[in-house]
Amino acid sequence: MPTPPITVVLIGATGDLAKRKLLPGLLHLFQTGLLRDLQVVGTSLDQHDRDSFVDFTRGAIDEFAAYEVKEEDWKDFEKRLWWASWETGPDGLKAVVAEADEAAGSDRPRDRLHYLSVPPKAALDVVQILKEADLVSRSRIIMEKPFGVDLASSKSLNKELHRVFKEDQIFRIDHFLGKEAAQNILAFRFANGLFEPIWHRNHIDHIQIDVPESLGLEQRASFYEATGAYRDMVVTHLFQVLAFTAMEPPTALEPFAISEEKNKVFRSMLPIEPHDVVRGQYVGYRDIEGVERESETETFVALKCYVDNWRWAGVPFYLRTGKRMAEGARIISIAFREPPRSMFPPGSGVGDHGPDHLTFDLADQAKMSLSFYGKKPGPGMHLQKLSMQFAMRDTTWAGAVLEAYERLIYDAARGDRTLFTSALGIERLWEVSQPLLENPPVVRPYNPGSWGPNQIHQLIAPFSWRLPFERQWRDPNATG
């Protein structure tokens, strides 16, 4: 569904995120017709004029666009690109936005979407510039993580933001939830009578949310030193995915109802205890420029947490993420309880490969797998683990998938807050994090290319981590 006329003010328009995701994403949304009445005003600390910004945008699209660029769409899109020099201040920005609005030639009032692709420490200064430029009314603002570094800073940040923007104008972005697979959890849970009745502690043994990354921190060390894996990934990403996995059915498929159910999950979370957390740092991190020689910043974190409500009481949620790990993945794995008693004889194979699992792969092309035991053909009762798998690429829908940032920009342009975090939600997450932040466990070394410190196995015992998988995802195009 196309949005109303909108002008996107992209602050930090020549940064890495804008180059890789935002500029290609805006063209894709324009090309598909989802943001057809669109103007884009770019600004940053770099020196550009309108022509050089158009050239920069075309270079970014040629390098990073994951779709076919139609030249007629590009010719139309480049006319909608504008540049405001940051040095001209609020008045200069206001003038260029007014010029872009006027050039759109529409009698309908235009909404504005301000995307703050800037370092966290610059966010409030940018907000003040927008206020002085009189660009607050009829506007929404997209903010990148982190949303504070603890409860006090989060409350202070929200207080300052609310001096300028109302809460319903603020969209705190989490690109994990923009992925088709993350949203598919809602459809899978609440649209199917097969799974919703068993989605609770009586049938689910434990849940894993596992997001290892193979990339290092050579380009982000100075930012990361003040943040670490827990603040960077767990509070802003993994806890949000946990909420989608654990939430109660919303009263309607609309933003307020879904946000309220997510916040109920956060309110039900028990404080994160330091003895339920493993922190790690990959060998070689301290050698990176910008890192303290005796740095205790964690590049890895694994933890156990609980949602203490009627549905989930006693069910552990295991979360893990880290840099320079064996592979990159984004997995949610639901482990079902095993039958209370087995009628199968010793040696049959039942239980040899752990409990049945339902696995969501949150990669850009969504995949799901349900593993279970079945009888091996032949005489006797010998069981083996089987699986049913679904992949988005196997369907005719694959070409309709929006990249995560595209989906979130589109939702923010429409004012749909379903996939965004509220001030109350993020403050509650910092609140449950306080015991860990005040008394963090020791940082343990791990080798690059591994799955983290050895202590992760004691954390999850008597269970085991699903990654690395014993079996690879099936390739439907493979022969033999």
Side-chain angles (χ1 to χ4, degrees):
M1 180 178 69
T3 65
I6 193 159
T7 297
V8 175
V9 180
L10 182 52
I11 302 163
T14 55
D16 189 63
L17 178 62
K19 185 177 181 181
R20 291 175 177 271
K21 298 292 185 181
L22 305 182
L23 292 170
L26 286 167
L27 174 58
H28 194 213
L29 289 168
F30 175 76
Q31 188 168 281
T32 58
L34 293 174
L35 290 184
R36 200 66 192 179
D37 193 346
L38 171 69
Q39 299 286 319
V40 179
V41 176
T43 183
S44 78
L45 295 176
D46 291 341
Q47 296 295 322
H48 276 285
D49 57 26
R50 187 177 180 186
D51 289 339
S52 65
F53 179 55
V54 169
D55 292 341
F56 176 89
T57 301
R58 183 60 201 241
I61 287 165
D62 288 343
E63 185 173 0
F64 295 108
Y67 54 87
E68 180 184 355
V69 177
K70 299 176 182 177
E71 280 304 312
E72 60 270 26
D73 285 328
W74 165 253
K75 291 296 184 184
D76 194 355
F77 182 74
E78 70 174 345
K79 299 173 187 174
R80 301 163 186 268
L81 295 172
W82 303 79
W83 182 258
S85 174
W86 192 250
E87 295 176 349
T88 60
D91 291 339
L93 180 60
K94 180 179 181 178
V96 175
V97 171
E99 187 179 359
D101 287 350
E102 184 178 352
S106 173
D107 295 332
R108 300 169 64 190
R110 300 186 68 80
D111 291 342
R112 298 191 184 98
L113 182 63
H114 307 303
Y115 197 120
L116 272 59
S117 180
V118 298
K121 62 184 179 181
L124 290 178
D125 291 337
V126 171
V127 167
Q128 190 61 32
I129 292 288
L130 294 173
K131 178 183 177 181
E132 294 173 12
D134 195 24
L135 295 174
V136 175
S137 63
R138 292 193 63 84
S139 71
R140 305 181 186 98
I141 181 171
I142 294 181
M143 296 193 63
E144 287 281 340
K145 64 170 186 176
F147 315 118
V149 295
D150 54 22
L151 181 59
S153 61
S154 178
K155 285 185 173 182
S156 175
L157 173 63
N158 288 327
K159 181 179 179 180
E160 293 301 314
L161 287 172
H162 291 156
R163 294 183 189 275
V164 180
F165 290 95
K166 298 177 182 177
E167 176 62 21
D168 62 5
Q169 292 179 282
I170 303 169
F171 288 72
R172 299 168 186 82
I173 199 165
D174 175 15
H175 70 271
F176 270 55
L177 294 187
K179 294 181 179 296
E180 202 73 34
Q183 299 165 59
N184 208 26
I185 297 169
L186 293 181
F188 192 87
R189 283 191 58 191
F190 300 128
N192 295 296
L194 179 63
F195 288 101
E196 179 54 25
I198 61 172
W199 207 266
H200 59 73
R201 57 189 170 86
N202 290 350
H203 298 284
I204 291 178
D205 193 77
H206 65 279
I207 293 174
Q208 295 180 32
I209 300 174
D210 208 349
V211 187
E213 298 181 283
S214 58
L215 297 175
L217 289 161
E218 286 74 13
Q219 310 303 320
R220 300 177 62 216
S222 58
F223 159 78
Y224 211 81
E225 265 293 271
T227 308
Y230 184 82
R231 291 179 171 93
D232 183 48
M233 290 291 293
V234 177
V235 176
T236 51
H237 292 324
L238 273 65
F239 281 159
Q240 304 298 325
V241 175
L242 183 153
F244 265 51
T245 308
M247 64 190 278
E248 296 295 321
T251 55
L253 193 64
E254 57 90 18
F256 177 80
I258 292 175
S259 180
E260 175 59 18
E261 295 304 332
K262 285 173 58 184
N263 285 338
K264 286 181 183 178
V265 173
F266 298 147
R267 290 197 294 268
S268 299
M269 288 179 65
L270 295 178
I272 308 300
E273 299 294 342
H275 59 77
D276 286 332
V277 179
V278 175
R279 298 168 70 229
Q281 184 186 94
Y282 68 79
V283 176
Y285 171 74
R286 294 179 181 179
D287 298 329
I288 299 174
E289 184 178 351
V291 174
E292 295 289 337
R293 301 304 298 173
E294 301 298 324
S295 173
E296 292 294 307
T297 299
E298 80 278 1
T299 63
F300 169 98
V301 64
L303 62 93
K304 175 170 60 176
C305 62
Y306 293 91
V307 178
D308 192 29
N309 60 16
W310 191 272
R311 183 183 291 260
W312 296 111
V315 175
F317 288 74
Y318 295 98
L319 282 56
R320 176 173 66 168
T321 186
K323 306 294 184 183
R324 291 295 302 273
M325 297 182 69
E327 64 181 72
R330 296 159 184 166
I331 296 294
I332 303 173
S333 188
I334 316 294
F336 293 101
R337 293 192 182 278
E338 298 188 54
R341 190 173 184 279
S342 177
M343 66 180 185
F344 297 98
S348 64
V350 68
D352 286 355
H353 298 285
D356 300 337
H357 283 87
L358 175 64
T359 302
F360 295 88
D361 186 333
L362 303 186
D364 290 332
Q365 292 291 341
K367 292 181 285 193
M368 288 184 291
S369 171
L370 178 63
S371 68
F372 53 90
Y373 285 96
K375 182 183 177 300
K376 189 181 293 186
M381 183 57 72
H382 298 289
L383 307 180
Q384 63 180 6
K385 212 60 179 292
L386 306 172
S387 68
M388 293 188 295
Q389 296 183 6
F390 159 81
M392 184 67 73
R393 66 171 181 266
D394 299 341
T395 73
T396 56
W397 310 334
V401 174
L402 291 178
E403 198 275 333
Y405 281 97
E406 295 170 2
R407 173 59 189 263
L408 292 167
I409 291 171
Y410 174 60
D411 283 356
R414 295 185 301 128
D416 186 336
R417 301 179 57 82
T418 303
L419 302 176
F420 296 86
T421 307
S422 69
L424 286 176
I426 200 70
E427 287 176 12
R428 171 58 184 166
L429 291 176
W430 286 122
E431 186 179 0
V432 302
S433 301
Q434 281 304 106
L436 172 63
L437 299 179
E438 292 172 359
N439 188 26
V442 64
V443 171
R444 302 179 184 277
Y446 65 97
N447 290 321
S450 70
W451 289 99
N454 288 333
Q455 287 73 16
I456 61 172
H457 303 297
Q458 285 93 34
L459 175 71
I460 202 170
F463 316 121
S464 60
W465 293 98
R466 285 283 280 159
L467 288 173
F469 284 134
E470 295 176 356
R471 297 176 303 281
Q472 296 300 309
W473 289 93
R474 198 163 46 239
D475 182 356
N477 300 315
T479 58

